[in-house]
Amino acid sequence: MVQRPRPQRLGHVVLNVRDLKASVRFYTEIVGLEVSDHIEDQMAFLRCGNDHHDLALAQIAPGDPQHAATYVPGRPGLEHFAYQLGSLAEIEDAARYLQAQGIDIVRGIGKHGPGENLFLVFKDPDGNYCEFYAEMVQITPAQPYTPRVWKNDLAAFDQWHFDRFVVPPPEWGPRRAQDTKGEDSDDPKR
C-alpha cells in the first residue's frame, strides 16, 4: 500500500497577471524579490530565498475573457501553489497515492526548464491546482545564478517531453511534433 505524501514545506505560488512587466516591477521594486528567469513575455520567476523561485507570474492573454477581471475575496486568484517533496521517488509515490484516492491529476510527472524542478499538479476539492515538486535549483552566494530568458517551448515546460506524465499531456501546453501532425504547431493554445 502506498503511503500518503509527507510534504516538507510550502514552496512557491504561481499567479496569473494582466500585465507581466508591471507585476515584475511591483514584486522587484516594491516587495524586494529578485528575478531568476523569464519564459519570453509569458512568465517570470522571482525569489526571496535560495529556491530558484518562490513566486512565478504568468501573463493572461489580452483577449482572454478573464483579462479584465480583478481578484475579489471568495474567488480563486492563483494558478497553483506547491509543496516540496524530497525526491523523484516521493513524487512517483505521491502520484500512485493520488490515483488510488481518485484525485484528479492535472499534469506531470515532469521536469520544468526554469528552476529545473520536478512537478506533479493535481486538484483539491474546490478545483484549485496544488503541486508537489522536488529538486529545485538552489541559488546561494556559493552557487550564483545568471537569469536567462527561456523560449516558450516544450523544454521550458517539460524537459522530459511528457515521457513521465501519468495523465495525457495538456491541450494548452507545448506539444511534441508527432502529436501535432496536420496541425499548426505554432498555435499558442497548444
Side-chain angles (χ1 to χ4, degrees):
M1 181 172 162
V2 179
Q3 294 183 345
R4 76 173 174 78
R6 304 267 184 225
Q8 298 172 357
R9 66 185 181 98
L10 180 63
H12 62 269
V13 173
V14 179
L15 299 175
N16 291 315
V17 298
R18 290 177 287 159
D19 184 334
L20 185 63
K21 288 180 182 176
S23 293
V24 168
R25 254 189 327 275
F26 176 84
Y27 283 103
T28 57
E29 295 175 13
I30 304 299
V31 177
L33 303 182
E34 292 182 55
V35 173
S36 294
D37 282 321
H38 280 89
I39 296 178
E40 294 180 335
D41 60 351
Q42 299 302 301
M43 288 191 79
F45 299 84
L46 301 102
R47 69 183 187 279
C48 61
N50 294 342
D51 281 358
H52 175 272
H53 57 277
D54 305 296
L55 175 67
L57 306 170
Q59 176 66 55
I60 300 171
D64 187 286
Q66 295 300 318
H67 187 269
T70 57
Y71 178 78
V72 293
R75 141 179 112 64
L78 58 100
E79 203 288 324
H80 76 262
F81 54 95
Y83 290 96
Q84 183 180 9
L85 295 181
S87 66
L88 173 58
E90 286 186 35
I91 289 178
E92 290 170 337
D93 286 346
R96 286 189 287 276
Y97 181 80
L98 294 171
Q99 289 169 325
Q101 299 301 312
I103 303 300
D104 188 14
I105 295 175
V106 177
R107 56 186 179 255
I109 300 170
K111 180 176 179 157
H112 288 313
E116 298 186 25
N117 52 297
L118 310 179
F119 65 90
L120 175 68
V121 180
F122 52 97
K123 290 182 184 179
D124 77 4
D126 292 308
N128 295 303
Y129 285 8
C130 183
E131 177 184 73
F132 286 136
Y133 78 99
E135 302 181 11
M136 183 172 297
V137 166
Q138 296 297 294
I139 302 170
T140 66
Q143 294 174 273
Y145 186 86
T146 302
R148 67 181 269 201
V149 176
W150 290 73
K151 185 175 163 87
N152 189 15
D153 62 9
L154 184 55
F157 181 69
D158 182 14
Q159 292 184 30
W160 292 339
H161 303 261
F162 303 132
D163 287 340
R164 290 181 176 254
F165 262 52
V166 296
V167 294
E171 297 271 337
W172 54 265
R175 306 279 295 246
R176 293 182 287 197
Q178 68 213 42
D179 294 336
T180 58
K181 289 178 184 164
E183 298 175 13
D184 180 4
S185 61
D186 292 331
D187 183 348
K189 294 177 185 145
R190 289 282 177 209

